[in-house]
Amino acid sequence: MSEKAYLVQVGTTPAPETIVIKVMENGPYEVHGCPPLAQAIIEQNALRQSWRYRAGKPFALTEKAHLCRCGHSRNAPFCDGSHRTAGVDLTETASFAPMLDEATVIEGPSLTLADNKQYCAFGRFCDAGERIWNQVGLGGEDNDRLTERMAHHCPAGRLLVFENETGAPVEPAQPAALGLIEDPALGVSGPIMVTGGIRVESASGESYEIRNRQALCRCGQSANKPFCDGSHASIKYRDGLPLPEEH
Ligand code: FES
C-alpha cells in the first residue's frame, strides 16, 4: 500500500504517522497518538521581552483525545461540549498552500528570514534585540544567533531562517509535542503550540502543510482557523487553568 504524500515544509521532519490532529467540523481538535501535552508558559527576560518557555502542568491524553477550540470549555484544555451552545463559528479559513508561498523575504549578510505574518500567534519572541526584521540584517555571530533564537521560539512557525551559504533552513528538529501557551505578561492564554511535524487534518479530510512549529487557535476567534492569528490577546482569552509557581 503506497503512503499518502503530504506537503512538508523544508526543515521539517514529520512526526510518526500515528500522531495526527483532526479538526472536527464545528467541534474540537481530535488528537490521536497521545503526544505529550503541557502548559508552555512564556517567560520574559530582564528587558521584559518574551525569552523562553517554562513547562507547566502536564495533561495525559487518551488515544483519541478532544481538545477545546471554541474557547468556552469549563474543563480546559479538554472539550466539554460547550461549542454546541457557544455560538462560535469554527469554520476553517486557512490556506492549504505552503506557508512560504506567501512569505516576505528579508536577506541579511549570512541569514535570510522568511516571514508570513498571517500566522502570527503574538508570542513576541521576535521583539528581542533589534527586532528580528532588523536583527537579520546586522550580521555577525552574536546577531545571527539571536536572530535564530527569536525565529525558533516563534510558536507559530511564522518565522523561518535560512543560511545564505547553503540555502538550507536553520530549523532544529523538535519532539512531537503539544504546548498550551500561557502568556502571563499579557494576562492571557494562547494557542496550542504544536511542535515536531505533527500532521493537522482539516474537517474536509485535506491535510495542511506539515510544519515543525504550528499554533492552533483555541480561543475560537482567529480569522485564520484552525491556526492562531493572535486574536486571543485582543479578546483576553483565558483558559482558566492556574499557572504553577516556578521552583
Ligand atoms: S488562540 Fe490565538 S487567535 Fe485563538
Side-chain angles (χ1 to χ4, degrees):
M1 195 172 73
S2 65
E3 283 192 8
K4 191 168 177 186
Y6 300 111
L7 276 177
V8 180
Q9 189 175 63
V10 288
T12 293
T13 302
E17 289 245 351
T18 49
I19 303 178
V20 59
I21 299 174
K22 297 186 177 184
V23 183
M24 302 280 97
E25 188 171 3
N26 283 314
Y29 298 110
E30 187 174 273
V31 182
H32 296 249
C34 308
L37 168 69
Q39 288 174 308
I41 304 162
I42 297 176
E43 292 197 323
Q44 296 186 315
N45 60 16
L47 299 173
R48 305 183 74 176
Q49 299 159 335
S50 295
W51 193 246
R52 69 181 183 110
Y53 294 103
R54 175 165 66 89
K57 183 179 176 183
F59 297 86
L61 295 185
T62 54
E63 168 47 40
K64 207 199 292 185
H66 293 97
L67 301 183
C68 173
R69 74 177 180 107
C70 75
H72 287 267
S73 173
R74 287 173 296 273
N75 186 33
F78 300 102
C79 172
D80 70 350
S82 291
H83 58 273
R84 296 190 193 100
T85 52
V88 180
D89 182 358
L90 295 175
T91 307
E92 293 166 78
T93 49
S95 167
F96 292 100
M99 202 193 73
L100 290 172
D101 281 5
E102 302 212 345
T104 302
V105 173
I106 302 174
E107 188 172 340
S110 47
L111 297 176
T112 291
L113 176 70
D115 174 17
N116 186 333
K117 65 181 182 185
Q118 200 175 2
Y119 290 79
C120 180
F122 206 54
R124 309 180 308 290
F125 288 94
C126 48
D127 280 344
E130 298 293 324
R131 306 186 79 226
I132 195 167
W133 304 273
N134 298 322
Q135 193 79 33
V136 70
L138 299 178
E141 184 68 19
D142 290 350
N143 289 318
D144 285 352
R145 294 301 80 78
L146 183 53
T147 296
E148 291 169 4
R149 180 194 174 93
M150 288 191 271
H152 296 159
H153 281 72
C154 169
R158 160 188 174 169
L159 303 164
L160 208 63
V161 171
F162 294 83
E163 201 176 56
N164 290 353
E165 202 176 328
T166 62
V170 186
E171 183 69 20
Q174 298 210 41
L178 308 181
L180 304 170
I181 296 275
E182 304 288 358
D183 192 344
L186 293 186
V188 302
S189 304
I192 303 172
M193 179 166 61
V194 179
T195 57
I198 296 176
R199 183 168 67 86
V200 177
E201 185 179 296
S202 162
S204 71
E206 193 169 348
S207 290
Y208 294 97
E209 180 186 34
I210 296 173
R211 297 186 282 114
N212 194 34
R213 292 173 282 125
Q214 308 175 82
L216 292 174
C217 173
R218 62 183 178 124
C219 75
Q221 298 303 316
S222 172
N224 192 35
K225 293 186 187 74
F227 301 105
C228 169
D229 73 349
S231 294
H232 60 270
S234 47
I235 66 159
K236 296 279 179 198
Y237 166 61
R238 296 295 305 267
D239 59 17
L241 295 169
L243 298 186
E245 295 288 324
E246 191 172 13
H247 296 296

